[in-house]
Amino acid sequence: MAQFAAQPPPHEFLWDIFQKVDKDRSGHISATELQTALSNGTWSPFNPETVRLMIGMFDKHKQGTIGFEDFGALWRYVTEWQNCFRSFDKDNSGSIDRNELTTALSTFGYRLSGPTVETIMKKYDRFGKGTILFDDFIQCSIQLHTLTDSFRKYDTDQDGVITLQYEQFVDMVFSIKS
């Protein structure tokens, strides 16, 4: 995603947002509080699962919350994803359709069959409209990356094929952080 790097917003701007979002004045933002600060562009709340995943990625202390410094990093992360999303949303619909998703996945280096892309579409098309919204696109991308990393641990020769015993499979699935 480096090609979509965004300029960091001014410190004061982020601090103002952080204070508005930190409703309980704890100095940390929970997933529930963060959800109020994020927009997926459709006036509907950001997907709670996506918010939880992102908190987990930036929560250095593993307490389910982020402080101001982590909030700034997360804000930049979301901004980069927003730029990435917009670059694939060719029709400017505010969502990614199957063809746009195929292009995005291919650009990310995934060579997936039509049926596999269709499975991904069904998984992340929360509203059954044949499209994926911004927040679900982030979640899809994070989870696909996580699955790929787990797969690569067993794909030692990097040929895209692994052989697993059932317990290895269970271990791989349950060790995935999501």
Side-chain angles (χ1 to χ4, degrees), residues 7-169:
Q7 293 296 320
H11 180 82
E12 300 79 27
F13 170 77
L14 281 180
W15 180 247
D16 186 48
I17 292 172
F18 183 86
Q19 288 184 308
K20 287 177 183 171
V21 173
D22 183 17
K23 298 287 186 202
D24 64 1
R25 299 290 179 245
S26 66
H28 289 84
I29 293 176
S30 67
T32 304
E33 289 172 322
L34 180 61
Q35 187 179 16
T36 66
L38 299 174
S39 170
N40 66 10
T42 64
W43 302 104
S44 61
F46 222 72
N47 184 329
E49 179 62 18
T50 306
V51 175
R52 188 186 66 75
L53 275 172
M54 291 190 310
I55 287 279
M57 290 171 61
F58 289 89
D59 176 13
K60 293 177 186 160
H61 305 290
K62 305 300 179 211
Q63 297 176 341
T65 62
I66 55 172
F68 177 67
E69 183 180 310
D70 297 332
F71 176 73
L74 186 143
W75 191 271
R76 286 186 293 280
Y77 179 79
V78 170
T79 301
E80 288 178 5
W81 272 115
Q82 195 172 43
N83 292 334
C84 176
F85 180 84
R86 286 180 181 149
S87 75
F88 294 115
D89 180 16
K90 296 298 182 191
D91 61 0
N92 295 316
S93 65
S95 61
I96 299 286
D97 65 25
R98 187 182 188 287
N99 292 332
E100 292 166 334
L101 178 63
T102 300
T103 300
L105 295 175
S106 177
T107 301
F108 296 160
Y110 297 105
R111 303 292 177 251
L112 303 172
S113 69
T116 300
V117 173
E118 191 59 37
T119 298
I120 293 169
M121 278 298 298
K122 287 179 184 173
K123 168 79 175 161
Y124 296 99
D125 177 11
R126 264 190 300 159
F127 299 106
K129 295 182 177 181
T131 60
I132 297 176
L133 298 174
F134 171 58
D135 48 346
D136 298 316
F137 179 73
I138 293 173
Q139 182 181 349
C140 171
S141 300
I142 292 169
Q143 289 183 332
L144 193 54
H145 178 77
T146 302
L147 288 170
T148 301
D149 283 350
S150 295
F151 185 90
R152 282 186 177 145
K153 289 176 187 171
Y154 292 95
D155 187 13
T156 54
D157 59 358
Q158 302 297 301
D159 67 353
V161 177
I162 61 174
T163 302
L164 297 174
Q165 295 177 357
Y166 181 68
E167 284 189 8
Q168 288 175 304
F169 170 74

